[in-house]
Amino acid sequence: EENVFPEDLRYTDKHEWVRAGNGETVRVGITDFAAEALGDIVYVTLPQVGEEVATEDSVAEVESTKSVSEVYAPLSGVITAVNEQLTDAPDTVNKDPYGDGWLFEVELTDAGELDDLLDADAYAAIAGE
């Protein structure tokens, strides 16, 4: 069965994805599995730039017509950017969860933590794909 999750990302068992870019900064969002489970996303609460976060801290909230879901920091570090466009267009998370629907960026305290995250196949097993 084909893996529906992008191979170039890392994942958490709480349905966040992590895109490691150049250097120590990673981009974080929620998977399409999570976005679909939530339904129509109507509001996103983002962290503050400059905020220090530790792995598994609750740092953001995604609110849908059905429920509110916490988003956790997949890695420890400092928030360096948030996706401001979600304030006006929260449904971008539904439409393009791995692209324009990203949530925030973190400058990692320890890039080695990336190795603790799941690859696409391991995440697919959790997501029941």
Side-chain angles (χ1 to χ4, degrees), residues 24-26 28 47-57 59 72-81 104-114:
E24 303 292 292
T25 302
V26 299
V28 179
Q48 297 291 314
V49 170
E51 194 179 318
E52 277 190 48
V53 299
T55 305
E56 298 198 352
D57 280 359
V59 291
Y72 300 93
L75 301 153
S76 304
V78 176
I79 304 286
T80 54
F104 55 88
E105 293 183 346
V106 183
E107 188 178 331
L108 303 180
T109 312
D110 174 10
E113 284 187 2
L114 277 165

Side-chain angles (χ1 to χ4, degrees), residues 1 7 14 16 20-21 25 30 32 45 55 61-62 64-65 67 75 86 93-96 98 105 109 116 119 122 124:
E1 189 165 325
E7 293 284 348
K14 297 186 173 75
E16 289 95 25
T25 302
I30 63 170
D32 56 358
T45 308
T55 305
E61 275 183 356
V62 178
S64 74
T65 48
S67 68
L75 301 153
L86 299 182
V93 178
N94 291 114
K95 292 183 188 141
D96 191 10
Y98 302 113
E105 293 183 346
T109 312
D116 300 335
D119 65 12

